[in-house]
């Protein structure tokens, strides 16, 4: 029998049986519904919030080599991320200094310079202006006066973040406790193999809210409810970020123990069997079960075996590290889901108007140490064509109805539970960035106090 060598920090710490609600507030939190559809509110977000926050734009694999570039768009803003000739990662506002034309669209490789396709002004990959056709006509034009306008760029866990505010706090500070909290997981070993951008009929906040609470699992995801403890899913709130821990491979306490181990196994295989290489219908492995093993233990064993098949050693991770999903939310629009062999990153962005938005999923796989890098495949589809697994498809399908309901004249406020406090924290940060007057702020709940 193989002896499992466990490195320091491989085992999850002991966890109290804390529920997802925590300490209930004196009353529900009420959030003005117009924040989700008002053009004036969206304009305020574009003016005061989007240019001031860190956003995940792409993966390091998109811009790994000199000459690689990636265009990130969010509402009216565009940021061009490039790897210069010396290997330095740079970001610029995506605008020619002549008349504002976008310098690059999409993503690609092999850039030697940044040349405007309208009038030919040209910069090197470090953002220095090199050529201006017909320069004489501009009179005393000094090239050094017109570099590309820089943006902040930084990397965490293979994710490339950008911020238009050059005076913004460092990314490591913005992420609060996340880098320390997730250090055990070695997320740098994950590689992005594809991104999927889904165009939806919903505000970017409507999209983000769905990945900020587990309250909806009991109704929207009945199949998932059979293999996840949605009650004992403790949450933490920092400043820009929050998290929830969700145990998988166990039935929800809402069933009061009525499900058999086989039913819990079948539900996990049906909703996320791909994470352990199990096709739909894979039977319960009763013959493999050792005395004392739980369903979660069996899932963890299958997951380790599946990882070993692609050269990944997960012997360092105990059952809890393999089966407990850590869901992190980063203001304003990012969620990432991670455990020992799973990482999915999701972001939402504003669309053409407040009733439209985009959901982008970064699909990842853990690779063996020293594995090479490949550019992700970037796919864009409509919501009608999106079927990224049963659970995510259910999340996407509910969005248009949510957005329509927010418009109804009798629906003036969202009424939020303390279980939805990651949603509340997003609005708390919105109010801070937008500097809203007291009359337009949330009411009830904990009165906006910082946890």
């Amino acid at each position: 029998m193989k002896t499992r060598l466990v490195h320091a920090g491989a085992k999850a710490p002991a966890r109290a049986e804390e529920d997802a609600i925590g300490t209930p507030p004196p009353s529900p939190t009420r959030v003005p519904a117009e924040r989700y559809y008002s053009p004036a509110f969206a304009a305020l977000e574009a003016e005061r919030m989007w240019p001031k926050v860190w956003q995940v734009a792409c993966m390091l694999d998109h811009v790994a080599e000199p000459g690689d570039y990636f265009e990130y768009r969010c509402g009216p803003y565009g940021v061009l991320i490039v790897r210069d000739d010396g290997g330095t990662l740079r970001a610029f506002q995506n605008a020619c200094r002549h008349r504002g034309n976008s310098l690059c669209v999409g993503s690609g490789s092999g850039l030697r310079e940044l040349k405007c396709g309208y009038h030919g002004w040209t910069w090197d990959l470090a953002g220095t202006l090199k050529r201006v056709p017909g320069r004489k006509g501009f009179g005393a034009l000094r090239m050094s006066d017109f570099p590309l306008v820089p943006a902040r760029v930084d990397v965490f866990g293979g994710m490339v973040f950008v911020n238009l505010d050059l005076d913004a706090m460092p990314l490591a500070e913005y992420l609060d406790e996340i880098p320390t909290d997730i250090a055990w997981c070695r997320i740098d070993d994950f590689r992005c193999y594809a991104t999927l951008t889904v165009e939806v009929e919903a505000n970017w906040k409507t999209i983000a809210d769905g990945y900020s609470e587990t309250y909806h699992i009991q109704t929207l995801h009945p199949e998932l409810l059979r293999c996840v403890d949605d009650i004992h899913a403790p949450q933490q709130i920092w400043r820009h970020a929050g998290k929830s821990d969700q145990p998988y491979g166990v039935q929800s306490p809402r069933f009061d123990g009525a499900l058999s181990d086989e039913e819990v196994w079948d539900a996990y295989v049906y909703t996320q069997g791909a994470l352990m290489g199990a096709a739909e219908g894979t039977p319960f492995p009763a013959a493999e079960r050792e005395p004392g093993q739980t369903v979660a233990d069996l899932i963890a064993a299958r997951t380790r075996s599946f990882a070993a098949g692609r050269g990944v050693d997960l012997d360092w991770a105990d059952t809890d590290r393999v089966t407990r999903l850590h869901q992190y939310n980063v203001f304003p629009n990012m969620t990432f889901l991670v455990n020992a062999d799973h990482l999915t990153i999701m972001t939402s962005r504003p669309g053409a108007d407040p009733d439209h938005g985009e959901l982008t999923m970064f699909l990842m796989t853990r690779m063996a140490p020293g594995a090479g890098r490949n550019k992700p495949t970037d796919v864009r589809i409509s919501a009608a064509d999106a079927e990224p697994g049963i659970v995510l498809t259910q999340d996407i399908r509910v969005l248009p109805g949510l957005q329509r309901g927010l418009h109804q004249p009798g629906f003036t406020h969202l009424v939020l539970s303390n279980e939805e406090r990651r949603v509340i924290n997003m609005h708390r940060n919105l109010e801070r960035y937008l500097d809203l007057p007291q009359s337009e702020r949330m009411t009830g709940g904990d009165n906006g106090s910082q946890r």
Side-chain angles (χ1 to χ4, degrees):
M1 179 179 293
K2 182 177 179 181
T3 300
R4 182 171 300 157
L5 301 177
V6 182
H7 69 74
K11 291 189 176 182
R15 299 176 187 273
E17 288 294 294
E18 179 187 342
D19 67 22
I21 295 174
T23 304
S27 65
T29 299
R30 293 167 58 85
V31 179
E34 66 177 0
R35 295 185 181 184
Y36 288 77
Y37 59 80
S38 163
F41 195 86
L44 200 60
E45 291 174 338
E47 175 190 347
R48 298 182 182 179
M49 188 271 288
W50 289 115
K52 301 289 185 179
V53 294
W54 284 99
Q55 303 166 59
V56 62
C58 64
M59 302 305 298
L60 202 56
D61 295 338
H62 282 105
V63 284
E65 301 295 333
D68 287 351
Y69 66 94
F70 188 94
E71 176 205 22
Y72 175 67
R73 295 185 191 178
C74 181
Y77 303 109
V79 179
L80 178 58
I81 304 159
V82 299
R83 181 78 66 174
D84 73 14
D85 295 332
T88 299
L89 192 62
R90 299 182 182 273
F92 307 102
Q93 295 183 21
N94 191 12
C96 173
R97 295 296 303 276
H98 173 219
R99 298 233 319 250
N101 184 44
S102 297
L103 294 171
C104 290
V105 176
S107 63
S109 302
L111 277 185
R112 294 175 177 268
E113 59 188 16
L114 295 166
K115 181 178 180 180
C116 177
Y118 198 7
H119 297 95
W121 284 39
T122 303
W123 290 260
D124 64 20
L125 300 186
T128 301
L129 183 60
K130 294 299 184 183
R131 293 193 302 277
V132 174
R135 180 178 171 186
K136 183 176 68 173
F138 293 93
L141 183 149
R142 294 189 303 175
M143 307 287 272
S144 60
D145 287 344
F146 296 95
L148 293 180
V149 179
R152 294 284 294 275
V153 63
D154 207 342
V155 177
F156 167 69
M159 302 171 244
V160 178
F161 287 77
V162 295
N163 194 323
L164 288 169
D165 182 6
L166 296 180
D167 296 321
M169 68 174 65
L171 176 63
E173 181 181 348
Y174 189 92
L175 293 174
D176 296 329
E177 301 301 317
I178 290 177
T180 300
D181 197 74
I182 203 58
W184 64 271
C185 195
R186 311 173 183 179
I187 62 174
D188 285 320
D189 289 343
F190 284 94
R191 297 285 187 272
C192 180
Y193 61 88
T195 73
L196 178 65
T197 296
V198 184
E199 301 168 350
V200 295
E201 295 179 2
N203 187 268
W204 70 270
K205 294 183 291 296
T206 307
I207 302 168
D209 288 355
Y211 304 109
S212 303
E213 44 90 0
T214 57
Y215 184 40
H216 70 278
I217 290 178
Q218 58 186 308
T219 305
L220 188 62
H221 305 311
E223 303 87 353
L224 186 62
L225 190 69
R226 301 168 74 84
C227 62
V228 63
D229 185 344
D230 60 319
I231 291 179
H232 301 114
Q235 300 188 75
Q236 290 180 273
I237 299 295
W238 294 300
R239 185 174 173 88
H240 290 103
K243 71 169 289 193
S244 171
D245 290 344
Q246 301 159 16
Y248 278 71
V250 294
Q251 60 185 287
S252 169
R254 300 179 196 279
F255 289 105
D256 199 24
L259 301 182
S260 67
D261 286 351
E262 289 83 356
E263 289 174 305
V264 175
W265 170 271
D266 290 344
Y268 189 88
V269 169
Y270 180 60
T271 58
Q272 52 217 297
L275 300 182
M276 60 177 181
E280 185 175 340
T282 298
F284 182 70
E288 301 173 14
R289 192 174 197 173
E290 298 179 4
Q293 276 193 316
T294 64
V295 176
D297 290 330
L298 292 171
I299 290 170
R302 280 289 183 97
T303 303
R304 293 189 197 97
S305 178
F306 178 54
R310 61 180 193 276
V312 173
D313 180 6
L314 286 185
D315 280 353
W316 54 268
D318 67 7
T319 292
D320 191 78
R321 290 302 196 197
V322 175
T323 59
R324 183 180 294 267
L325 192 66
H326 304 264
Q327 179 169 317
Y328 294 91
N329 300 92
V330 182
F331 179 79
N333 63 336
M334 175 189 175
T335 297
F336 68 97
L337 311 168
V338 63
N339 62 28
D341 198 41
H342 173 63
L343 175 61
T344 297
I345 302 160
M346 293 178 288
T347 67
S348 60
R349 289 176 289 178
D353 58 60
D355 287 321
H356 290 81
E358 295 179 349
L359 165 65
T360 296
M361 290 173 273
F362 297 82
L363 308 177
M364 317 287 290
T365 188
R366 187 184 287 280
M367 302 295 287
R373 293 186 178 275
N374 293 299
K375 278 187 178 294
T377 301
D378 300 318
V379 178
R380 175 180 288 269
I381 57 176
S382 68
D385 296 325
E387 294 187 358
I390 182 171
V391 176
L392 290 174
T393 299
Q394 289 167 338
D395 287 329
I396 292 169
R397 295 288 188 265
V398 78
L399 291 171
L402 270 169
Q403 190 65 29
R404 286 194 301 273
L406 292 165
H407 278 274
Q408 304 316 302
F411 187 84
T412 60
H413 290 79
L414 287 73
V415 181
L416 302 183
S417 157
N418 200 45
E419 198 285 332
E420 298 162 291
R421 62 186 180 270
R422 285 175 287 150
V423 178
I424 295 169
N425 195 50
M426 184 271 286
H427 282 281
R428 183 179 295 127
N429 276 291
L430 258 184
E431 292 178 349
R432 182 162 56 90
Y433 276 85
L434 303 188
D435 194 23
L436 295 182
Q438 193 62 41
S439 62
E440 297 178 15
R441 294 185 174 237
M442 297 181 289
T443 58
D446 64 358
N447 296 316
S449 62
Q450 182 70 31
R451 293 183 179 84

